[in-house]
Amino acid sequence: MGQVRQGSATTTHAIRAAIQRSHASLATLSRELGINPKTVAKWRKRATVEDLKTGPKEPCSTTMSAEEEAMVVAFRRHTLLPLDDCLYALQPSIPHLTRSALHRCLQRHGISRLPDVDGDKPKRQRFKRYPIGFFHIDIAEVQTAEGKLYLFVAIDRTSKFAFVRLVHKAGKMAAAQFLRDLIAAVPYRLHKVLTDNGIQFANRSCDTTAFEHIFGRVCREHGIEHRLTKVRHPWTNGQVERMNRTIKEATVKRFHYDNHDQLRTHLDDFIAAYNFARRLKTLNGLTPYEYICKVWTSEPDRFIVNPIHQMPGLNS
């Protein structure tokens, strides 16, 4: 099999081996082989006939300082976040960080691949694509030192925009009011909502009443299709179930709250940061509200108001 040499090489493996075996002077070998005496001296000193690797002996980043590289490595090892999530989290601190530079840095330190989780991974199925305006809604219980509260959570299936409310009682009137508040808060029209079969959202099958459930009536008044999950199939509403867990991990599972107002304030701050600042891989690096503004430019007929007017800042 032929040998692979550097493009500027003037010797073959056989010539290099002959140089290393010969006892002739450098000048003599240089004349006989027709090469530079420095080349003869170089190969005589070496114990191998292979070309050395080019590039720096200690690879390092050309765009990041040693401190920034150490920050990247520590962040990856501590959080075990995927590549894109690491990029979005680190760019505010390292503005010149690019995806390729981050990937090369992780490769140099041997942490470019996350450790495999034991067990068989279930096959993931893609969600059916819907236009914005399809919300998943659910209820969760939370605790403070004052007692128990109920958390209504809604998340858009497509834009991932989240909306929450804390209430003392989670009855059907509270659920209907939550839906009204959601409709008023979102800059586009809702066309579908998905809930479980709880009494807050639908009449029970054993009820004989002919009256329309108030939650369904609010849906009908606003032209919204109300869908229910299959009984004992909570994973059908998995998006909002996952959002419930995210909210709890960021609030009540991590901090102690002396009263309900403390939780309410922290929850509002977290949801604002999520909607307006958290860049999501599923949205190609956009925040939920950036994605909504992007849809506004291509499908303005779906909107009630210009979403740019609702962005936090000087115009809010």
Side-chain angles (χ1 to χ4, degrees), residues 12 14 19 25 35 42 48-49 52 76 86 107 125 132 143 167 197 217 222 242 254 266 273 278 310:
T12 64
I19 292 173
S25 66
I35 57 177
K42 179 182 71 173
T48 177
V49 295
L52 297 179
R76 169 73 162 200
C86 283
Q107 277 189 322
Q125 295 182 350
I132 59 173
Q143 290 274 354
V167 296
N197 294 267
R217 185 165 77 241
H222 291 85
R242 183 63 183 88
R254 182 169 295 185
H266 190 193
R278 185 168 184 178
Q310 295 183 328

Side-chain angles (χ1 to χ4, degrees), residues 71-87 89-90 102 106 111 114-115 254:
M71 181 193 306
V72 169
V73 173
F75 182 84
R76 169 73 162 200
R77 286 176 172 160
H78 179 70
T79 63
L80 295 179
L81 287 174
L83 177 67
D84 291 304
D85 290 344
C86 283
L87 177 66
L90 289 167
L102 175 61
L106 299 181
I111 52 175
L114 292 173
R254 182 169 295 185

Side-chain angles (χ1 to χ4, degrees), residues 118-167:
D118 293 337
D120 296 332
K121 294 181 180 179
K123 184 178 180 181
R124 292 185 178 181
Q125 295 182 350
R126 289 184 176 274
F127 276 109
K128 183 179 178 181
R129 298 288 296 178
Y130 284 95
I132 59 173
F134 187 165
F135 273 82
H136 295 237
I137 299 177
D138 195 22
I139 307 173
E141 290 185 6
V142 292
Q143 290 274 354
T144 70
E146 279 191 47
K148 181 167 64 176
L149 287 174
Y150 294 93
L151 176 67
F152 280 93
V153 180
I155 184 169
D156 190 298
R157 185 187 187 105
T158 304
S159 70
K160 311 304 178 188
F161 179 82
F163 182 78
V164 300
R165 278 289 184 271
L166 281 171
V167 296

